[in-house]
Amino acid sequence: MKLLDEILQHNEEFVKEKKYEAYSTTKFPNKRMVIVTCMDTRLTELLPKALNIGNGDVKLVKNAGALVSHPFGSIMRSILVAVYQLQADEVLVIGHHDCGMAGMKADEMIENMKERGIKEETLEMLTYSGINVTKWLKGFQDVSESVSHSVEMIKKHPLLAKDIPVHGLVIDPDTGKLDLVIDGYKEEL
Ligand SMILES: [Zn+2]
C-alpha cells in the first residue's frame, strides 16, 4: 500500500473511532510560549516529552536547523503571530546536537540536485537573479553559536515587544537532555 493510502486509511478509522477526543484543546497555548526547533525526526516525540509539553501547550515552529535566518521570513512571522495573536509570552529556540544542518555543505547538496535533474542553467539563472543558492543552503558550524544567532535575531527584531524573553537551548537527540545557552530572563542583548 502506498504511504498516502496508508495515511488516509488510518485517518478514516481515527476519526470514526473518535480518537481525536483525547486531543481536544484550543489554539491558545496553555504554557504561553512559542518554540522554534528543528524538523529532525528524533525530536518529533522526544522533544515534547523531554519538556513536558502536551497537545495544546505550546506553539511549535519547525524548520531545518531551528534557524531564524531572515528577519522577515516565515519563521519570524510565525513567532510574531504567536506573540501578538495567540498569547505566547516567551520564545524558546531549541537547536540540537548532531543536526543535519551542522556542517552541511551547499556544494554537496547542489550536486545532489544536479543528479536529480536540476539543470546548471537553472542555477545560473538564479545567480543572475541575485539569489545566492550556496549561501542560502549553507548550514552552521556550531549549534550553540547558531542558537545564539537566532535568539539575537528574534530579540533584536524591531517588531518584537521588548518584554518577551527569548531563550536559547540545545537538546540531545538521544537522551532529550537540555543545555541552556541563553537564559532570556537574564540576557540583555
Ligand atoms: Zn536538526
Side-chain angles (χ1 to χ4, degrees):
M1 192 188 289
K2 287 205 166 165
L3 190 55
L4 179 61
D5 297 330
E6 235 171 74
I7 289 171
L8 291 173
Q9 189 183 347
H10 169 86
N11 182 258
E12 211 174 292
E13 280 168 38
F14 182 87
V15 175
K16 203 167 81 190
E17 290 167 19
K18 295 190 176 177
K19 288 186 178 164
Y20 54 84
E21 283 177 349
Y23 304 96
S24 174
T25 182
T26 75
K27 63 179 177 178
F28 298 107
N30 299 324
K31 296 194 176 173
R32 299 185 75 123
M33 60 179 160
V34 50
I35 293 176
V36 179
T37 191
C38 182
M39 66 183 192
D40 194 291
T41 48
R42 292 167 292 181
L43 301 181
T44 306
E45 284 191 66
L46 179 70
L47 184 137
K49 294 284 181 215
L51 274 72
N52 192 26
I53 289 164
N55 207 41
D57 279 343
V58 303
K59 290 290 162 192
L60 199 51
V61 184
K62 290 189 168 196
N63 71 5
L67 291 167
V68 185
S69 43
H70 196 288
F72 291 94
S74 69
I75 297 288
M76 194 60 224
R77 182 174 54 202
S78 300
I79 293 168
L80 294 172
V81 169
V83 167
Y84 290 110
Q85 298 296 102
L86 299 163
Q87 305 175 356
D89 291 332
E90 306 200 19
V91 183
L92 275 79
V93 178
I94 309 180
H96 68 100
H97 298 296
D98 190 35
C99 185
M101 288 299 278
M104 196 181 84
K105 291 180 182 67
D107 294 348
E108 205 177 291
M109 189 158 155
I110 290 169
E111 279 314 307
N112 289 339
M113 287 174 178
K114 287 181 188 165
E115 276 172 29
R116 298 285 290 273
I118 306 302
K119 296 204 162 34
E120 183 71 47
E121 300 92 87
T122 306
L123 293 157
E124 280 169 14
M125 190 192 71
L126 288 169
T127 306
Y128 290 133
S129 315
I131 294 164
N132 188 334
V133 178
T134 305
K135 196 179 162 201
W136 183 55
L137 293 175
K138 196 172 164 285
F140 51 79
Q141 293 307 318
D142 180 275
V143 67
S144 298
E145 262 174 43
S146 164
V147 164
S148 301
H149 180 260
S150 291
V151 166
E152 195 176 339
M153 177 92 75
I154 299 164
K155 191 71 192 166
K156 287 184 174 167
H157 198 279
L159 298 178
L160 186 80
K162 296 297 157 229
D163 59 343
I164 301 288
V166 185
H167 313 289
L169 300 107
V170 175
I171 192 167
D172 184 315
D174 297 319
T175 66
K177 184 182 184 299
L178 285 171
D179 288 318
L180 188 60
V181 178
I182 291 172
D183 179 341
Y185 299 134
K186 292 183 187 161
E187 202 71 13
E188 291 291 329
L189 289 165

